[in-house]
Amino acid sequence: MTPSIDELAAFCKKKGFVFKTAEIFGGLQGFYDYGPMGVELKNNVKKAFWNDFVTKNEFVVGIDGAIITNPQVWVASEHAEKFSDIMAKCSSCGFNVRVDTLIEDVTGKNVEGESLKEIGKIVKKEKIVCPKCKGILEEPNEFKLMFETNIGPEKNEKSTGYLRPETAQLIFAAFKNVYQTSRVKLPFGIAQVGKAFRNEISPRNFLFRLREFEQFEIEFFTNPEKLNDCPMYDGKAKVNIADKNSFKTVTVDSLLKKKVFASKWHAYWVTAFFNWFVKYGVKEKNLRLQPHSKDQLAHYANACVDIEYKFPFGWKELHGDADRGQFDLGQHQKVSKESLEVFDESVSKKVLPFVAAEPSQGIERALLVLLFDAYFDDKKRGNVVLKLNPLISPLKVAVLPLVKKDGLAEYAKEIFQNLQKRFNAFYDAGGSIGRRYARQDELGTPYCITVDYDSMKDKTVTVRDRDSTKQIRINVDELNTKIWEMIYLGKKFE
Ligand code: GAP
């Protein structure tokens, strides 16, 4: 059974993955701290995104932009003026509530992109009330989501800065430097992973809606006339597309024909992320694509497709990918007065690159779905088994001496120190062997190595597989290589 979001949060706290920030002071809504296991898992997930979509992708390079940048960036992107959500105050208890998500929770209707006036009408028509005290909601208004800060010692209009609300705009702001220094040519992508901050009205559902989170984003630039020149496009591949409360499985070609995807490059990037989640252990039946309808589309987007996951609180956005056309570079060019056109050798002319796809992934939402689908409450074993893909498991291997005496602990320590040169390994000599296995199962450690009396004689150890509990005997000299091959080459446990 999938745990509820509260059960998962309790598990994460108990096992040292994630907990409320500064809990001894009562925490702070929308902010979390990562413990020893959480920081390893999160780093591994970011590394997996980066390896698969940047290091191993000949079309993509990376940057690491500033969190606080020149405020003109947010003028160009229109965040300074328009980045807001619709909020209403309860006339009885004074609670401030984000109205679009409340309407969706109550009626099931997605009202993303609706105007303030329209939202106000829906609140009245659907008799939407305060979720806390059932009081009447006041007239909705717009609430700005940008976190403001002051740059330098002076405090005036010019010294106001913002914590970035997304990583994407830093890519546009750095576009010219990257283009001039990296020998990239169209088509190419620029990626970034890092923190983003939004002063969300109602942070909730553990890591789902936060005020401080991380994003992995790619802006993929093409010649506007070459949106379909995508060598990796696979039209025969199958994906799940939303169908009322469920989904149907269809070919990528059929979605391109129906203009769900704006182009072959757009289709390629959406399906690449869908498949990434499946590769890392998310069940296909829990994933579906959700296209934005024409009235939900942001004014700059030609098309937008979300990847949704079936969370315990409903199908919700895990990932977004919009075809943003020339809007962003056009805006940055206009406000900075710097030309952002590039010379496209293939057509021998200058063009303003076109963003055919903007894969945008929240790291915390990725963590949530990877944890949900890895979580298995094994009643037979009497403990949770976190069946994470070994590539992202916080620990790769644990070394456990059967007993501490007769030199077993010392020999096990030697084996551990050897493994530690290559892997994130853990040494545990405390408690019954069953309890120690259970501890590692709960952390998602794929392999446990037990050092026993035979090990002292024949230099072999028992390796236990987390998912099957099968055990095999391996020579100590081969241990490093065999574990490495199983984790990184996917070799069979035998
Ligand atoms: N550059 C486009 C962009 O930022 P978005 O739909 O606002 O688009 C993209 O965000 C992704 O970032 C979402 O699909 C989600 O994974 C993550 N995300 C957005 N807001 C979030 C929040 N408040 N807490 C956690 N993750 C969030």
Side-chain angles (χ1 to χ4, degrees), residues 83 112 165-169 198 200 207-215 217 219 300 306 317-320 324 358 360-366:
F83 193 52
E112 209 177 322
E166 61 171 25
T167 55
Q169 294 305 322
R198 298 183 187 179
E200 294 282 354
L207 300 180
F208 183 79
R209 192 171 302 289
L210 298 163
R211 289 180 169 138
E212 174 178 342
F213 56 100
E214 290 202 56
Q215 287 184 316
E217 297 196 294
E219 299 301 331
Y300 49 76
D306 290 343
E317 178 183 338
L318 161 66
H319 173 100
R324 300 176 66 106
E358 185 203 50
S360 180
Q361 179 60 56
I363 297 296
E364 288 77 1
R365 287 194 196 175

Side-chain angles (χ1 to χ4, degrees), residues 112 239-242 252 255-256 258-263 265-274 287-293 296-298 301-308 316-324 356-361:
E112 209 177 322
V239 277
N240 299 338
I241 183 90
V252 172
L255 297 180
L256 185 69
K258 284 188 184 151
K259 296 195 167 35
V260 166
F261 300 122
S263 66
W265 273 116
H266 190 214
Y268 163 71
W269 279 109
V270 175
T271 46
F273 273 80
F274 186 99
L287 293 169
R288 69 178 191 183
L289 306 189
Q290 179 68 266
H292 287 209
S293 65
Q296 288 169 332
L297 271 185
N302 299 316
C304 185
V305 179
D306 290 343
I307 300 174
E308 290 187 333
K316 300 279 174 208
E317 178 183 338
L318 161 66
H319 173 100
D321 190 333
D323 165 326
R324 300 176 66 106
E358 185 203 50
S360 180
Q361 179 60 56

